Amino acid sequence: MSDDTDPVLNAVDALRAAGIVVVPIGEELDRWQIGDLLFSDAELVRIAMSRGLMEG
């Protein structure tokens, strides 16, 4: 993986590939909605990592 790869976008792609609907929220796209819950960028990455969908 290259150094310029955005881990947040990787997490979004991985979660969506697993069938999870992830929606960007706000003008700055710094929040993400999964179901009724909102997550920060860091939380989204942790969710993907905890599910084994991406490596740290």
Side-chain angles (χ1 to χ4, degrees):
M1 186 180 311
S2 82
D3 291 337
D4 61 348
T5 303
D6 186 345
V8 177
L9 295 180
N10 286 342
V12 170
D13 290 343
L15 290 165
R16 287 179 175 166
I20 298 169
V21 178
V22 180
V23 180
I25 300 295
E27 291 180 20
E28 295 182 27
L29 303 178
D30 60 344
R31 295 282 176 198
W32 301 90
Q33 182 175 2
I34 297 175
D36 293 333
L37 303 174
L38 295 180
F39 299 96
S40 68
D41 288 347
E43 291 169 324
L44 196 72
V45 171
R46 283 194 295 269
I47 290 169
M49 290 175 66
S50 71
R51 292 177 175 258
L53 301 174
M54 62 184 287
E55 296 179 10

